[in-house]
Amino acid sequence: MSANACANNGRDEPAMKAASTSPFTAAVPSCRPHDLLWLDSPAALFSGNPLPAWVGKQWHAGLPVVVRRDKRSKGPIPVGIRGKRRSERAAAWVSPDSVRHVVTPESLATDRQKLAASPFARTKPVRAIFELARLELPWTWGVTGSCAYALATGQPVMHEESDLDILIRCPDRQERNAFARLAKVLDTLPCRTDIQIETPAGAFALKEWLRIKPGTGENGGGNSSLGQVLLKTDSGPVLCADPWQIPPLKERDTP
């Protein structure tokens, strides 16, 4: 197969075969941070530095890698490899041609029947997903982190007390009050829930952004200063006042 699953909406025949490794499927025009990728072989992984020994012992092509943020244009995709322990994380790159199957954060939250049939259905994070679904949020959103990995693979990396990581796609600028209804229910969910807002410029933590008092430049105890929020970009973290627009290099503050 000459074209990769990310660019070809996952319609390649090898990608359909690989789908048996996961109960969820997705078709996307390109790979984005937090997407889970299944590769054609472990040899697809490469890195500027030797990968840790645990990668060869624990990771295999039946498990996904996760797209991470890094400087890139067209070509290799930056990915992260997950081990059994929290401390076991490794950065690598893969060729787009080696991608056989893609699972997006959105696909893990939209199929309620598969969620209900999951072996993790009774855990607090999955119960929180169902509660968020009942809000009928106006944005596209999905699941990331350990919950996403567990749902997509069946691997027991999530437990009853795990946090839930949520990604909300917001391509258009939003006012803070647009998230008021969501903010009110966060503390009532069955587990701690961290929400990242994805913009064309990067991603930022919703709770941190909501702590900033509009028009005052004050922040209620977050990492930002002068009304700025920490934006995760492909070039690294940046403090900015408008998370929908990356500031010019000469105007950037780094944490």
Side-chain angles (χ1 to χ4, degrees):
M1 182 181 69
S2 58
N4 64 83
C6 294
N8 272 349
N9 295 328
R11 291 175 183 157
D12 303 274
E13 190 63 26
M16 296 300 293
K17 293 178 181 178
S20 62
T21 61
S22 168
F24 300 89
T25 59
V28 290
S30 61
C31 296
R32 297 179 289 186
H34 302 291
D35 283 354
L36 296 171
L37 311 182
W38 276 258
L39 310 177
D40 53 10
S41 79
L45 294 167
F46 60 91
S47 175
N49 299 307
L51 291 172
W54 62 260
V55 173
K57 296 177 181 178
Q58 297 182 30
W59 189 86
H60 54 81
L63 295 174
V65 293
V66 59
V67 179
R68 58 182 176 83
R69 298 186 188 279
D70 206 327
K71 295 179 182 178
R72 65 169 294 206
S73 52
K74 294 182 179 179
I77 303 168
V79 299
I81 310 165
R82 186 184 186 110
K84 294 180 180 179
R85 298 185 179 90
R86 184 183 294 269
S87 61
E88 292 175 334
R89 302 290 186 270
W93 297 79
V94 299
S95 166
D97 289 335
S98 67
V99 178
R100 292 295 176 264
H101 180 56
V102 182
V103 167
T104 67
E106 296 94 319
S107 70
L108 295 169
T110 54
D111 195 326
R112 309 288 188 258
Q113 289 185 338
K114 287 183 178 178
L115 275 174
S118 164
F120 305 102
R122 295 181 180 275
T123 61
K124 291 180 180 179
V126 175
R127 285 159 47 202
I129 294 174
F130 280 110
E131 292 194 22
L132 288 172
R134 284 194 285 271
L135 294 177
E136 297 184 349
L137 299 172
W139 312 282
T140 299
W141 62 277
V143 187
T144 65
S146 62
C147 182
Y149 195 90
L151 290 172
T153 65
Q155 297 291 310
V157 296
M158 175 177 61
H159 53 78
E160 178 66 13
E161 300 303 321
S162 291
D163 294 349
L164 175 63
D165 296 304
I166 294 292
L167 177 72
I168 295 180
R169 310 268 188 204
C170 286
D172 300 319
R173 185 175 282 101
Q174 304 286 313
E175 298 297 331
R176 286 178 177 81
N177 59 14
F179 297 97
R181 184 165 63 102
L182 174 59
K184 286 182 179 179
V185 305
L186 286 182
D187 291 336
T188 69
L189 294 175
C191 65
R192 173 185 168 88
T193 301
D194 295 318
I195 296 180
Q196 291 282 312
I197 305 298
E198 180 88 15
T199 77
F204 64 91
L206 176 61
K207 286 184 178 179
E208 180 183 354
W209 190 56
L210 292 179
R211 281 199 296 263
I212 299 173
K213 299 177 182 179
T216 67
E218 298 178 5
N219 181 272
N223 292 325
S224 55
S225 60
L226 300 178
Q228 295 180 318
V229 69
L230 184 67
L231 183 71
K232 298 177 183 177
T233 76
D234 289 349
S235 300
V238 177
L239 286 173
C240 63
D242 181 1
W244 275 267
Q245 182 176 359
I246 299 179
L249 285 173
K250 62 180 180 181
E251 298 178 12
R252 291 187 187 183
D253 290 327
T254 55

